[in-house]
Amino acid sequence: MSIRDIHTPVLLDRCVELLEPALRHDGAVLVDATLGMGGHSEAFLERFPNIRLIGLDRDTDALRIAGERLAPFGDRVTLVHTVYDEIGLHAQGADAILFDLGVSSLQLDEADRGFAYSKDAPLDMRMDQTKGRTAASIIAEYSEGQLRRIFERYGEEKLAGRYARFIVAARDKQPIVRSGELVDLLVAATPAAAQRAGHPAKRVFQALRIEVNSELTVLADAIPSAMDALTVGGRIAVMSYQSLEDRLVKQAFAAASASTAPPGLPVELPEHAPRFRVLTKGAELADDDERARNPRAIPVRLRAAEKLREPT
C-alpha cells in the first residue's frame, strides 16, 4: 500500500492558503516542525517549486519514511532529527512555519509503539525511540499521587485518583508492561455508568503519551521560539488535536498580537505595537466533508498568525 493511501494530511488546502503569502518569493523557507510522514511538506514542495524545506522530527522512523517520500525534491529538502523546542536553532529567518501537533498516523498505526489503546503492545509511547523513559517505566515508578496528577492535568480524567490507586495496587502484584494489561485494568476500575461516556483508557493513554514525550513543556517553549525565528511578514500555522495544546497556542498568539502600551497613553509608540496579527478567527475546524473522509481531522483546531515586526 502506498504511503499516500495510509496518510492523509489534515486541513492541507487551508494550511496552504494561510502560508502562501509568505512563500511567494524565490528561495522562501518553510519549516515543517512536525514532519511526520511528509504529507504536508510534499504538497508544499509541489505547489511552490521555488521554496526550500527544513523538516524536523524526533521520530527516526518518520524521518526515514519522509526522506524517501521527499527524495525527488533533492537539495530543496533538509531533514533534522530533533525535538521541536529546538526550532530556534534551525528556523532563523524562516518565511513560514507549520506545526501539526500530537501523535502521528505512523505512531498510531504501528502497533508495537504502544500509543493505541485498541492494540496490545509494549507500553512504550516514545516518539523518539532512541532515548527517554517509556510509559511502562512511568507506570512502574511514579507514586500514586504523581500518576493522579498527570491523569488529571494531561488527560483531564475525572477518575484519575481511582485509576492511580488501581494501578499501584496491581503493579505490586505483577509489573504492567503491555498496553492490553493497562487497558484491562482501567476497564475493570471503571464503574459501568462511566464506561458509557467513552473508552476508559482514552484519557489515561493521552496523559501518559504527553508525560513520556514532555509534549506540553516542549510546546510551551517551541511556539514562542518559532514566532521569534520568523522573518517579518512570515507566517505560522499550528494544528492542535486536544484542548491543552490549543490553549497554549491561543495564549502565545494572544500575547504576541496585543499592544503592550500602558493604559492612558494618547498615542501608541512603535515599540508597544503588536508583533503579530492573528489570521484565523478563533480556532478553525475541518469541514464536514473532510471529517467524513479523514476521521483524524475530527478533533483538529487550526490557528495562524503573521509577524508584523521584530521586537525593539
Side-chain angles (χ1 to χ4, degrees), residues 14-298:
R14 182 56 174 150
C15 288
V16 170
E17 180 182 11
L18 287 165
L19 297 182
E20 185 269 340
L23 296 173
R24 291 172 181 162
H25 63 280
D26 287 351
V29 175
L30 167 67
V31 177
D32 188 338
T34 50
L35 182 67
M37 289 188 282
H40 285 95
S41 288
E42 180 183 48
F44 273 94
L45 288 162
E46 289 175 344
R47 297 188 195 195
F48 302 98
N50 296 315
I51 71 168
R52 294 190 299 111
L53 172 84
I54 300 173
L56 314 180
D57 210 292
R58 65 168 76 179
D59 189 325
T60 54
D61 286 344
L63 285 168
R64 174 182 53 79
I65 292 170
E68 295 172 1
R69 184 174 191 169
L70 302 179
F73 300 101
D75 61 5
R76 293 174 60 201
V77 175
T78 302
L79 304 185
V80 183
H81 180 216
T82 188
V83 183
Y84 54 66
D85 62 345
E86 296 184 351
I87 191 168
L89 301 176
H90 307 286
Q92 290 301 318
D95 298 284
I97 298 176
L98 177 67
F99 284 85
D100 187 7
L101 302 173
V103 63
S104 72
S105 301
L106 172 65
Q107 291 155 351
L108 284 172
D109 291 339
E110 290 196 358
D112 62 358
R113 303 294 293 271
F115 286 97
Y117 55 81
S118 60
K119 303 171 183 177
D120 183 43
L123 271 173
D124 192 318
M125 298 193 189
R126 290 173 298 170
M127 293 179 176
D128 182 351
Q129 290 190 299
T130 67
K131 59 185 177 182
R133 63 193 173 195
T134 65
S137 67
I138 288 173
I139 289 293
E141 297 166 11
Y142 276 28
S143 68
E144 180 181 325
Q146 289 174 310
L147 290 172
R148 183 183 68 249
R149 176 187 62 80
I150 66 168
F151 297 162
E152 288 175 341
R153 182 178 180 187
Y154 299 148
E156 300 178 296
E157 175 53 66
K158 295 179 181 178
L159 296 175
R162 181 180 177 89
Y163 289 153
R165 285 196 307 275
F166 270 69
I167 288 170
V168 170
R171 77 186 186 193
D172 287 342
K173 301 174 184 176
Q174 181 177 334
I176 303 167
V177 296
R178 297 190 65 84
S179 57
E181 295 167 349
L182 181 56
V183 168
D184 290 345
L185 174 62
L186 295 171
V187 170
T190 306
Q195 292 195 26
R196 291 193 289 271
H199 198 289
K202 179 178 180 179
R203 295 180 182 275
V204 170
F205 271 59
Q206 173 181 297
L208 286 170
R209 189 200 81 219
I210 291 172
E211 179 73 3
V212 166
N213 298 290
S214 302
E215 289 179 43
L216 294 183
T217 302
V218 167
L219 182 62
D221 292 336
I223 297 300
S225 293
M227 297 170 78
D228 288 343
L230 280 171
T231 188
V232 172
R235 293 188 169 203
I236 179 172
V238 185
M239 286 178 282
S240 308
Y241 294 83
Q242 43 102 347
S243 60
L244 298 173
E245 294 172 338
D246 182 58
R247 193 176 305 149
L248 286 173
V249 178
K250 178 182 178 180
Q251 290 168 349
F253 282 11
S257 61
S259 170
T260 60
L265 279 185
V267 177
E268 182 180 66
L269 299 175
E271 61 264 30
H272 295 302
R275 293 177 53 228
F276 278 79
R277 175 173 68 97
V278 176
L279 301 171
T280 48
K281 186 175 181 180
E284 294 187 0
L285 308 177
D287 62 27
D288 291 341
D289 288 343
E290 180 168 1
R291 289 154 69 97
R293 291 194 313 271
N294 184 8
R296 287 178 181 161
I298 291 173

